[in-house]
Amino acid sequence: MNDLLNKLLLLRSPGIGPVKFNELIKKFNGLESAVDALNPSDELRDSIKREMDRANELNIHYVCDDDELYPVNLRLIKNHPPVISARGNIETLKKRIVSMVGTRHATAAGMGFVADMANGFVDNGFAVASGMAIGTDTAAHMGALRSDGNANTIAVLAGGVDYVWPLENEKLYYEILERGVVISEMPVGYIPKTTNFIQRNHWVAGICESLILGEADMKSGSMATARFALNYDRPVYAIPSHPSDARSIGPNSLIASGDAKICCGLSDFFEAPNTKNNIRKKVQGNESENAILDALGMIPVSESVLAQIVKKTVSEIKQILIVLELRGLVRKDNGGYVRV
């Protein structure tokens, strides 16, 4: 406990991050000597005590980089966070990890593809990491949570692990706590600033053994995350998109430059026997049902819109949806339907 306290005293001191943290320990020949030389104020000590008490109340764990639970790939990065906080199933951090990122303004098709990929990776023994933003990140987490069991997904946050952002993902946040883990390098209760999201992207890129990029424009945070992954010598896979869509520019450019491998599905990563349960379910022998399934993704679609897409009446659509819902292939959500 004293070792953890000393680490937090250094890390929570103004102007000290991972780089300075390591420099001070080296300069003063040890952690305790570095803290003594810094001579933290009583105010800082009280602040850290309150943080640790809050963490204890919320069952938040501190994971140091010499702990076996600390993510293996993250530890390999120079100047990685010496301490991260984790809330949820911390055993998730032991698993092999793939990161999946992309735009907040993803298409329904793009989100559906990412969700299916995430689901397949979990079925093959991985945990899926992302940043819990709306859009692609949400699809990655939700796809991972579709699989049975626990230790499915990791949300890397820019703020404290108890600070839910964005608010639209509050429900998702608590689902992740139940069947995955939320992590952060920031203090418990910390409200993120813009620069924290950039640093968060570093760790999303560093925690994985490979990164998959979905739809993203050139100046997006997702493209920055992909570049961080390349700098960390992580393989990057990009999902190609139609060139007329601005969201295709990021992944398509990485494929064209040779920086990313093209990602066409789970077959790029796993042999066919392991992916049999990861492909989106098709209903044999019913063209109308398959057309509706193809039209649905992670974003709710109303019965009237589905009727326009598949060229059926609303009454016919309702009958088909009842059948699909009974089969567990779709579910109602916010006045529309999504694919399960």
Side-chain angles (χ1 to χ4, degrees):
M1 181 60 71
N2 285 337
D3 189 55
L4 172 61
L5 176 61
N6 282 330
K7 287 180 178 180
L8 293 179
L9 282 169
L10 276 189
L11 288 170
R12 303 297 188 248
S13 296
I16 297 181
V19 175
K20 192 68 174 178
F21 176 91
N22 293 322
E23 288 177 352
L24 287 171
I25 291 176
K26 184 177 180 179
K27 178 179 179 180
F28 293 102
N29 298 313
L31 175 63
E32 190 171 350
S33 298
V35 173
D36 289 341
L38 192 65
N39 191 24
S41 66
D42 291 339
E43 183 180 358
L44 178 61
R45 291 180 180 276
D46 290 342
S47 173
I48 292 174
K49 184 179 183 304
R50 288 194 299 270
E51 178 189 340
M52 295 178 73
D53 287 344
R54 175 69 172 165
N56 186 56
E57 290 173 8
L58 297 176
N59 198 27
I60 294 169
H61 303 266
Y62 291 100
V63 182
C64 300
D65 61 0
D66 55 357
D67 191 307
E68 64 174 5
L69 282 171
Y70 196 93
V72 173
N73 288 299
L74 190 58
R75 187 189 288 121
L76 295 175
I77 297 174
K78 183 180 180 181
N79 296 319
H80 55 263
V83 179
I84 59 174
S85 52
R87 189 180 188 191
N89 183 356
I90 57 177
E91 293 295 315
T92 310
L93 299 174
K94 289 183 176 180
K95 301 189 81 168
R96 297 177 66 185
I97 299 168
V98 60
S99 290
M100 304 184 73
V101 298
T103 180
R104 290 173 171 80
H105 308 290
T107 63
M111 291 177 68
F113 189 89
V114 165
D116 285 343
M117 288 283 293
N119 181 237
F121 267 98
V122 172
D123 284 347
N124 280 276
F126 281 72
V128 175
S130 198
M132 214 181 80
I134 60 174
T136 305
D137 288 13
T138 294
H141 292 304
M142 291 182 68
L145 292 171
R146 282 202 329 237
S147 292
D148 296 330
N150 294 315
N152 292 356
T153 190
I154 300 169
V156 186
L157 302 189
V161 291
D162 58 332
Y163 185 80
V164 182
W165 186 261
L167 293 178
E168 295 95 321
N169 274 346
E170 183 175 16
K171 181 174 181 290
L172 174 61
Y173 170 85
Y174 286 105
E175 289 176 354
I176 294 173
L177 289 188
E178 289 184 8
R179 301 178 55 216
V181 67
V182 175
I183 67 171
S184 175
E185 67 171 325
M186 305 310 295
V188 175
Y190 182 82
I191 300 174
K193 302 173 183 176
T194 302
T195 53
N196 299 128
F197 289 93
I198 299 171
Q199 193 65 11
R200 181 274 309 269
N201 292 343
H202 274 280
W203 309 141
V204 172
I207 198 172
C208 64
E209 60 183 67
S210 59
L211 181 137
I212 299 174
L213 175 68
E215 296 163 317
D217 61 58
M218 286 298 290
K219 296 182 179 180
S220 65
S222 301
M223 279 294 288
T225 306
R227 294 189 187 98
F228 296 148
L230 291 170
N231 289 337
Y232 297 146
D233 292 324
R234 306 289 190 261
V236 173
Y237 295 81
I239 302 169
S241 299
H242 196 283
S244 65
D245 192 326
R247 290 164 288 198
S248 74
I249 298 175
N252 289 359
S253 69
L254 289 181
I255 294 169
S257 67
D259 289 325
K261 300 177 183 179
I262 188 169
C263 176
C264 295
L266 288 171
S267 59
D268 294 330
F269 304 91
F270 308 109
E271 295 294 330
N274 291 330
T275 62
K276 61 184 180 180
N277 294 322
N278 300 329
I279 307 302
R280 294 184 107 179
K281 299 175 184 176
K282 285 284 186 181
V283 182
Q284 298 298 319
N286 191 317
E287 186 176 340
S288 296
E289 291 175 349
N290 282 330
I292 288 178
L293 288 175
D294 287 338
L296 292 175
M298 306 293 293
I299 298 176
V301 181
S302 68
E303 295 164 345
S304 59
V305 171
L306 285 171
Q308 294 175 11
I309 293 173
V310 301
K311 305 295 191 263
K312 296 284 184 182
T313 66
V314 172
S315 177
E316 290 173 319
I317 292 296
K318 287 181 177 180
Q319 293 177 20
I320 297 171
L321 285 170
I322 289 172
V323 174
L324 294 176
E325 194 167 12
L326 289 173
R327 293 181 184 178
L329 299 176
V330 304
R331 63 179 171 81
K332 200 160 189 177
D333 186 14
N334 291 328
Y337 284 83
V338 296
R339 191 160 183 169
V340 176

